[in-house]
Amino acid sequence: MGANQSCCAYSSPRTVTKKDKSKRDKEKLNERYEPRQLANGKEESVGNLQHISEREPDDWEEDPSLHPTTETIFMEKSKQSIRNGMVRKRSQMQLANSQSLGDFMTLKKASSCSTIYIDDSTVSQPNLKNTIKCVSLAIYYHIKNRKSETILDIFDEKNHPLTREGVSEDYNKYNPDHRQIYKFIRTLFNAAQLTAECAIITLVYLERLLTYGEIDICPGSWKRITLGAILLASKVWDDQAVWNVDYCQILKDLTVEDMNELERQFLELLQFNINVPSSVYAKYFFDLRTLAEANDLSYPAEPLSKERAQKLEAMSRFCEDRISQEILGNGVKRSNSLDRISSNRRSVAILS
């Protein structure tokens, strides 16, 4: 009770001088992180979070599977074939020789006042058969105008054959024709019940693989590369994807382990970039149509029927109403036309 010292230690607050404060502020200033200037003129991102510009490759504008305006690789390959005089022979669009009428070409069907000709392939609903034909032709030009013979082990048919019989010794010497490629892809699409949009995504992944992996598609690797692209496209695009074991039911001699390894290495070569923007999808769709017209594989045009005209009108009316709602939602007033006010709206097209 009479102790002169307390059991609790007590110390008076330390007075901070101006010298100590300036020294502490200087240490904090030195410890602060400043973004560095990179070689390409960009600043490094602050902290551990990487900026999106640092994740994108510097040459992404040269990649047709990413950039919406860069020309697709198969279009460049087809132009190269035209320059080299390796254009495919004209198929069913070439009329047979006739002694009475002589040699002549079929004329394109043109619309008139009484009849409108239109094909049934749109960017949202492509025609399955014609789309597969065009994709097969694009792969044909890739093989025809390859620059190297390098084959990765996972895509080599000699090391990983699709059939029990294996391949011949000259399996990588002779190029497949367009019909052979079409038959292979068509068999897979019919058995797996895949859509035409999946065929376009398949071509996007195939060209992305060739760009990222810096390889070419060869006679000895085109089947496994195409199979891997179809496998991945069906899983990304379709809601009800086809399992790897289902492809083993189509190609009887394949094993599930082989399909799993093919998918894994395909994804690694793509750097797990499976995103396909809508603008890139539309570019590939219209480039395939251009390729078809250049090789006489034009989509067959049929007379526009009344039922088809009503469906097209309903789709355009739906899109028009949706755009109108977006405009009204932004506070912009839009006046209705007489066609929109009328309850019994009829088609303005003249049908035969």
Side-chain angles (χ1 to χ4, degrees):
M1 295 292 293
N4 294 329
Q5 295 182 354
S6 172
C7 63
C8 299
Y10 175 80
S11 61
S12 59
R14 181 186 175 187
T15 57
V16 181
T17 62
K18 291 184 178 180
K19 184 177 180 180
D20 295 336
K21 187 176 180 180
S22 60
K23 184 178 180 180
R24 188 188 308 169
D25 294 341
K26 189 175 182 180
E27 290 176 355
K28 288 184 178 180
L29 185 63
N30 293 333
E31 293 176 357
R32 191 176 64 178
Y33 177 79
E34 293 290 342
R36 297 176 300 169
Q37 193 77 12
L38 300 179
N40 54 6
K42 300 179 182 178
E43 285 189 352
E44 186 183 23
S45 58
V46 179
N48 296 328
L49 183 61
Q50 191 181 27
H51 193 267
I52 188 172
S53 62
E54 299 171 26
R55 294 196 299 266
E56 291 179 349
D58 296 334
D59 56 347
W60 77 282
E61 294 184 355
E62 300 177 2
D63 186 359
S65 65
L66 293 176
H67 201 274
T69 59
T70 305
E71 186 181 30
T72 53
I73 302 178
F74 70 86
M75 285 298 294
E76 177 61 30
K77 298 281 188 180
S78 64
K79 293 178 182 179
Q80 183 178 348
S81 292
I82 294 176
R83 290 192 294 265
N84 296 337
M86 296 188 300
V87 185
R88 294 177 62 254
K89 296 180 180 179
R90 300 184 182 273
S91 55
Q92 68 273 12
M93 297 298 291
Q94 176 86 44
L95 284 182
N97 296 335
S98 174
Q99 295 180 354
S100 58
L101 299 178
D103 297 340
F104 60 92
M105 292 287 298
T106 53
L107 299 178
K108 243 184 176 179
K109 296 179 180 179
S111 302
S112 63
C113 296
S114 59
T115 306
I116 298 177
Y117 287 97
I118 187 173
D119 62 71
D120 62 343
S121 183
T122 60
V123 67
S124 59
Q125 293 181 342
N127 180 275
L128 177 61
K129 183 178 180 180
N130 292 321
T131 303
I132 295 179
K133 281 186 177 181
C134 296
V135 171
S136 305
L137 184 59
I139 296 176
Y140 168 82
Y141 280 124
H142 270 290
I143 302 173
K144 190 78 174 178
N145 298 305
R146 64 187 181 277
K147 296 180 181 179
S148 66
E149 303 290 339
T150 305
I151 303 179
L152 297 181
D153 178 74
I154 190 61
F155 301 128
D156 196 342
E157 286 189 50
K158 187 175 183 179
N159 300 332
H160 304 276
L162 298 180
T163 59
R164 190 171 300 173
E165 292 78 12
V167 294
S168 58
E169 293 296 331
D170 55 352
Y171 72 103
N172 196 35
K173 186 179 297 184
Y174 301 104
N175 297 330
D177 57 5
H178 175 225
R179 185 174 300 178
Q180 183 180 355
I181 302 173
Y182 169 76
K183 184 178 179 181
F184 177 77
I185 300 178
R186 180 76 179 185
T187 301
L188 293 176
F189 269 72
N190 286 345
Q193 298 181 357
L194 302 178
T195 59
E197 297 92 334
C198 186
I200 299 177
I201 302 297
T202 297
L203 185 59
V204 175
Y205 287 159
L206 189 145
E207 293 203 341
R208 187 173 296 177
L209 174 76
L210 302 183
T211 304
Y212 285 16
E214 297 180 354
I215 59 175
D216 276 330
I217 185 168
C218 305
S221 64
W222 71 269
K223 285 186 178 180
R224 291 186 61 86
I225 290 180
T226 306
L227 176 61
I230 293 175
L231 169 66
L232 193 58
S234 63
K235 290 188 175 183
V236 174
W237 186 262
D238 291 342
D239 295 331
Q240 296 180 348
V242 182
W243 293 75
N244 291 5
V245 68
D246 296 329
Y247 287 98
C248 298
Q249 300 296 326
I250 302 172
L251 303 171
K252 302 293 185 180
D253 298 328
L254 275 181
T255 62
V256 181
E257 293 76 15
D258 187 18
M259 292 297 299
N260 294 341
E261 185 65 18
L262 176 64
E263 180 184 9
R264 185 184 66 82
Q265 294 200 28
F266 202 103
L267 280 170
E268 288 180 353
L269 289 171
L270 289 184
Q271 301 175 14
F272 295 92
N273 183 8
I274 57 175
N275 180 45
V276 179
S278 58
S279 55
V280 172
Y281 171 86
K283 178 188 68 174
Y284 272 80
F285 170 81
F286 289 109
D287 280 359
L288 285 173
R289 289 187 67 100
T290 303
L291 182 70
E293 293 179 1
N295 290 267
D296 290 334
L297 289 175
S298 300
Y299 293 20
E302 298 178 355
L304 180 63
S305 61
K306 185 176 181 180
E307 292 77 11
R308 182 72 192 283
Q310 291 174 349
K311 289 182 180 179
L312 292 175
E313 186 178 10
M315 292 174 60
S316 60
R317 181 69 179 271
F318 172 76
C319 295
E320 187 178 356
D321 293 341
R322 186 175 60 182
I323 295 174
S324 301
Q325 292 177 1
E326 293 177 357
I327 294 177
L328 294 175
N330 295 331
V332 180
K333 292 184 178 180
R334 181 181 177 182
S335 58
N336 286 332
S337 63
L338 185 60
D339 291 336
R340 293 176 58 84
I341 296 175
S342 176
S343 58
N344 297 326
R345 187 181 181 186
R346 299 183 179 275
S347 176
V348 296
I350 302 175
L351 306 177
S352 57

